Every structure is written in structure tokens, then in C-alpha cells.
Amino acid sequence: MRLMIYTAMLAALCSPVAAQVAGAEACLAAALKDGTDPTLCVEPSDAACMDSAPETPAVSTACFAETRAQWGAAIGKRVKALPEDTAATVARIEAKYDVIGGMVQCDRIEALAKAASDLDGPQIALQKERCLSRATALTYVRLFARTHPAEPASD
């Protein structure tokens, strides 16, 4: 029964998250054009997963895992669509190491939380999955910024 409840809650939480991830490109394009902070475009997906964190950290953890998968799929799709030129190759390499660097930092945060905090297992798991989701989202933001065509100047 508990699993069914978590599954239903996860579906309710993650369906808007998938839409937010898919719709982030318009936000990112506008932010790059306007010179505003494109990282703000990932905030809605974080907020959606944090809604139930205090009451049900396992549901929020699962939501962040789904969000991370959505951002990861968006990275994969964007990387596959890039041309085979030097700039795109550099963008692919940068994205690969952005993800790896983020994962290492999230592992570090987890190890420190286990060693020196009073957080329990579910809270540490939530913290790590949130970190991984955020790192993946920020990798997508950087990849998008590196590969998004510049708007032509208007006269």
C-alpha cells in the first residue's frame, strides 16, 4: 500500500517536472538573449520536488531522480543534435566533465553528511539526489549556452 501511495505521489509530482524540463529551452533562450541568469530556469523543477520533502523525503528523492533523468535525456538529445565540428566536440567534452565533476561533488557532500551531520538516511539520500539533479540541470544550462545560436543583431 505504501508503495502505491508513493508511486501516485511521484507521478503527481513528476509530471509537471517533465513539462518544466521540456519547456526550459524557451526560458534559457530568453535569458541568454536578455543577459539574465539562465540558471533561474531550473528553479521550477527543484521547487516542484521540494514541495513534499519535509513530510515524505522518499517521494521528493524519487522526484529528483526523475528530474535528473529528464535533464540527462535533454543533455543526450542536445549532444546528439550537434554537428561534427570542433566547437561541438568541445561542448560534448565540457558537458561530459561537467556531469562527472558534479557527481564527484555530490558524493563529497554525501560523505560529509554521513560523517559529520545529524541527518538521517532518507534526508541524506534526498540531499544527494537533489544535488545530482541540480548538477545535471546546470550541465544542461551550460551546454545550452555553449551551443545555442546567437540572435542576430537588430538594426
Side-chain angles (χ1 to χ4, degrees):
M1 182 67 167
R2 180 182 273 177
L3 180 61
M4 287 182 4
I5 292 171
Y6 283 151
T7 303
M9 289 178 74
L10 177 62
L13 285 172
C14 289
S15 56
V17 169
Q20 291 164 358
V21 171
E25 285 194 2
C27 177
L28 292 170
L32 292 173
K33 182 179 177 187
D34 300 341
T36 58
D37 184 2
T39 63
L40 296 176
C41 297
V42 303
E43 295 297 327
S45 62
D46 269 7
C49 289
M50 286 304 292
D51 283 347
S52 66
E55 301 86 25
T56 55
V59 172
S60 289
T61 301
C63 182
F64 278 115
E66 175 62 26
T67 302
R68 178 168 53 117
Q70 294 288 328
W71 286 116
I75 290 169
K77 181 179 176 184
R78 188 156 197 93
V79 163
K80 286 179 184 174
L82 293 175
E84 293 298 326
D85 61 18
T86 302
T89 299
V90 168
R92 284 183 186 93
I93 293 167
E94 291 287 347
K96 174 183 173 181
Y97 287 98
D98 284 348
V99 169
I100 291 170
M103 291 171 67
V104 169
Q105 289 303 314
C106 295
D107 283 350
R108 177 182 151 271
I109 290 168
E110 177 188 36
L112 289 170
K114 287 178 178 177
S117 78
D118 58 352
L119 297 175
D120 62 16
Q123 291 171 320
I124 292 172
L126 171 59
Q127 180 183 46
K128 183 174 183 182
E129 196 58 52
R130 182 180 185 192
C131 179
L132 290 169
S133 175
R134 183 69 173 195
T136 306
L138 293 177
T139 295
Y140 183 79
V141 169
R142 287 188 291 273
L143 178 63
F144 186 91
R146 287 181 187 116
T147 61
H148 185 69
E151 291 288 323
S154 55
D155 293 332

